[in-house]
Amino acid sequence: MIMRNYIKISYKIVLVSLLLTNVFLKYGHSQTSPCVYSVSPNYMYFTNSPGSKLVSVDKDLNCRFTLTNDRSWISTSVDRKGRVYVSVTENTGATRSGTVNVAGYLVTINQSGFVPSVYSVTGGGQYCSGSPPVPVGLSGSQTNVSYQLKRNGSNYGSAINGTGSVISFGSITSSGTYTVVAIASSSGISKDMSGSKTVTVLSRPSAPTNITGDSRCGSGVVNLLVAPGTGGNQVKWYTSSGSYI
C-alpha cells in the first residue's frame, strides 16, 4: 500500500514538472522572467475631426502592461485580441498635443486645430468706368471665421466675419484678380477659398467731335460727318426727338 501511494505521488510530481517545462518552452520564459515590449508608432497625427488609430504592442502572451494618457480629449481602449486603440474627440480650437503611455513607452499625439471649410468665390466681370461696379462674394461662410479679400495676392479692404451663409465684399471698383482667404478665430489656421474672379474696368469713350453736315429743307439726302472720338466705338445718330436713325 505504501509503495503504491509513493508511485502515485511521484507520478503527479513528474506530470507537474512536465507541464511547467511545456509552459517555459512555449512562451520562452517562466512567470518570473522580465517582460520585453515593443511599441509602435511613437507619434500619431490626427485632423481636427474625431478619429481612432491602432498602436502595435509586441509582447509575450503572459505579459501585462499599463495604459494611460494625459489629456481628457484622448481615450484608449484594448479589444479582445489585445490590440490598443487611441481615439481623439473633435477639435474646435487650436492645435493641441498629448501623450499616451503604453507599457512605459510614450506615444506623442498631435491634433490639428479647427480648419475653415472651403467655399467658392463668386461675382466678378467687367463694367464701364462711371457705371455701377460689379460685386465679388463667397458662396458660403462660417461663424467664428473671418474672410479676407485679396486683389492680385494683396489684401483688399478689411476682413469681414462669416455669417453662416453667403457673404459679399461689396462692389469692386479696381481691375484685378480677386481671391479669398479664410482665417479661423479659434485656431488661427487659414484656408484658401476655391477659385478666383476677375474684375475689368473699361474706360468710357470720349464723345464724338466736329460734327458737320449739309442743311436741307424738305425731302432728300443730308450727309453728316463726325470724328468718332477715342476707343474705336460705333457712332449712332439720333434725331432731336431721340429717335435712332
Side-chain angles (χ1 to χ4, degrees):
M1 177 66 90
I2 294 175
M3 180 62 70
R4 183 179 297 174
N5 288 339
Y6 174 77
I7 294 173
K8 288 183 178 180
I9 293 172
S10 297
Y11 173 77
K12 290 181 179 179
I13 292 173
V14 172
L15 181 59
V16 171
S17 178
L18 289 173
L19 289 174
L20 290 175
T21 300
N22 287 338
V23 169
F24 179 81
L25 292 174
K26 181 177 181 180
Y27 297 111
H29 62 81
S30 66
Q31 295 292 332
T32 58
S33 300
C35 292
V36 178
Y37 302 93
S38 176
V39 177
S40 64
N42 60 6
Y43 172 83
M44 285 184 168
Y45 173 81
F46 292 86
T47 66
N48 69 298
S49 301
S52 182
K53 293 185 178 181
L54 176 67
V55 176
S56 175
V57 182
D58 186 15
K59 65 179 184 63
D60 290 335
L61 183 61
N62 285 355
C63 289
R64 297 184 178 182
F65 58 89
T66 57
L67 185 61
T68 60
N69 64 78
D70 64 353
R71 296 290 185 269
S72 60
W73 50 272
I74 301 175
S75 61
T76 55
S77 60
V78 182
D79 65 12
R80 293 182 178 179
K81 295 183 178 181
R83 293 174 297 194
V84 177
Y85 289 90
V86 176
S87 301
V88 297
T89 61
E90 181 181 11
N91 186 9
T92 58
T95 298
R96 57 191 181 183
S97 63
T99 56
V100 173
N101 188 318
V102 183
Y105 293 85
L106 294 182
V107 180
T108 301
I109 310 298
N110 281 348
Q111 187 178 25
S112 170
F114 175 75
V115 180
S117 298
V118 176
Y119 299 97
S120 298
V121 182
T122 60
Q126 54 182 282
Y127 73 99
C128 289
S129 177
S131 301
V134 295
V136 170
L138 205 59
S139 63
S141 66
Q142 294 171 284
T143 57
N144 300 318
V145 177
S146 61
Y147 296 88
Q148 176 64 59
L149 183 66
K150 290 180 174 288
R151 173 179 174 266
N152 299 333
S154 299
N155 289 352
Y156 185 84
S158 301
I160 63 175
N161 295 323
T163 62
S165 185
V166 298
I167 56 174
S168 175
F169 295 95
S171 298
I172 305 301
T173 58
S174 300
S175 294
T177 299
Y178 289 84
T179 55
V180 179
V181 175
I183 306 98
S185 59
S186 61
S187 65
I189 294 177
S190 61
K191 187 73 173 180
D192 291 337
M193 298 295 98
S194 176
S196 63
K197 293 297 178 181
T198 300
V199 174
T200 303
V201 182
L202 303 176
S203 299
R204 183 177 291 275
S206 61
T209 58
N210 300 325
I211 301 175
T212 60
D214 302 330
S215 61
R216 187 179 183 86
C217 182
S219 60
V221 176
V222 175
N223 294 315
L224 300 175
L225 300 175
V226 62
T230 62
N233 296 283
Q234 181 182 8
V235 176
K236 294 183 178 181
W237 294 91
Y238 293 86
T239 65
S240 59
S241 62
S243 298
Y244 172 64
I245 302 176

